[in-house]
Amino acid sequence: MKRTAWKLVRRLRRHANGDPVLLRIAATLAHCDRRHRCLDPACPQCNRAVQRIMVRMIAAFQQAHPELGPWRVLSLILPPIDGATSLDIGTAWSHYATVLRQAGITLGIFGIDLSFNEDDRRALDEAARFQPHACLHVYGLAPADEIKAADAFLKRHVPATEAIRRPVRSTLFDGNLAAPAYAFKPDPIRRQTILRDKPGRANPVRDTRDRPLTVEQQLQTVRALDEAGIGGRILLLGLRLASIPAGPSGPELRA
């Protein structure tokens, strides 16, 4: 077992407080290895394997279907769902799929990413800082013409806020597989908004820094992943995972 997975197992056991779900997950993760994957949704090793598989499938699909390109990378962050009191990846999946389809996206490969966002701009009055919150957002690839056509709709329906300054972003996909890898990254982060001095600027500028999750945040994440399932963060539009016939490296993406 890799160090990151073992650290998670120890944290779960230490803070489970008799919780049968967390204890079950800890026991499952403790026996995971490369030859015998546990396939638990909260397992860092298995999620890393899913990330590698998705990157390979996306690369193979795009190579097999050059007529669908060029592609663009889309990042979309919707406001938290009203009344939501816990992380619910399944509900977020449905919400994002609906909005993307309404925007006219018919073909896309997206991952649902998770972060905990905090405002650490201590020089500001508390009233001027946004409240800490969990953020479920999508990041992935779609045909460039569809993303360009959807841009006006998305920006009109997903306005910027103090907490989320750029909820809609897109860039041309240059073929670098770091983009699809990021879409399915297995390690949620705690992202802090800060003020940082910048040469040539009279006043500090807004910036962000990453921090490890707190214990409570990690427990929330583990529960959410456990409920979502091992493939619960994969959002496909107009595509499906096909395992028959599977290629030499596993399942394939098909339209």
Side-chain angles (χ1 to χ4, degrees), residues 23-100:
L23 291 173
R24 170 184 58 79
I25 295 172
T28 301
L29 268 57
H31 293 91
C32 183
D33 59 43
R34 294 184 64 181
R35 291 182 299 175
H36 304 286
R37 294 291 187 191
C38 69
L39 300 182
D40 190 283
C43 178
Q45 296 180 117
C46 292
N47 276 317
R48 184 75 67 186
V50 169
Q51 179 191 43
R52 290 195 295 266
I53 291 171
M54 290 302 299
V55 169
R56 287 199 299 267
M57 285 195 297
I58 291 169
F61 179 80
Q62 291 183 330
Q63 185 175 9
H65 297 280
E67 74 280 2
L68 298 177
W71 296 74
R72 287 186 74 85
V73 179
L74 175 65
S75 171
L76 177 63
I77 308 175
L78 296 178
I81 298 172
D82 291 341
T85 57
S86 61
L87 292 174
D88 188 337
I89 294 174
T91 298
W93 192 104
S94 298
H95 195 193
Y96 274 106
T98 297
V99 171
L100 289 169

Side-chain angles (χ1 to χ4, degrees), residues 129-153:
R129 297 156 61 183
F130 63 78
Q131 293 298 310
H133 60 278
C135 181
L136 289 165
H137 53 286
V138 297
Y139 187 95
L141 304 171
D145 57 348
E146 291 196 353
I147 290 183
K148 288 181 179 178
D151 187 71
F153 174 91

Side-chain angles (χ1 to χ4, degrees), residues 28 65 67 82 85 116 121 130 139-140 150 154 185 193 215 221 236 247:
T28 301
H65 297 280
E67 74 280 2
D82 291 341
T85 57
F116 288 86
R121 295 175 292 174
F130 63 78
Y139 187 95
L154 292 174
K185 64 185 177 68
T193 295
V215 170
T221 300
L236 302 178

Side-chain angles (χ1 to χ4, degrees), residues 150-195:
D151 187 71
F153 174 91
L154 292 174
K155 289 182 176 178
R156 186 169 61 251
H157 285 78
V158 191
T161 65
E162 179 61 24
I164 307 171
R165 303 294 292 274
R166 296 182 64 191
V168 182
R169 291 184 294 172
S170 75
T171 58
L172 185 66
F173 177 57
D174 61 2
N176 189 334
L177 295 178
Y182 181 86
F184 302 100
K185 64 185 177 68
D187 304 315
I189 60 172
R190 178 161 58 111
R191 180 176 291 111
Q192 294 182 331
T193 295
I194 60 173
L195 293 175

Side-chain angles (χ1 to χ4, degrees), residues 209-224:
R209 65 184 176 196
D210 296 343
R211 291 289 185 266
L213 299 185
T214 66
V215 170
E216 180 56 33
Q217 290 167 346
Q218 190 156 43
L219 296 185
Q220 288 185 55
T221 300
V222 166
R223 291 182 186 279

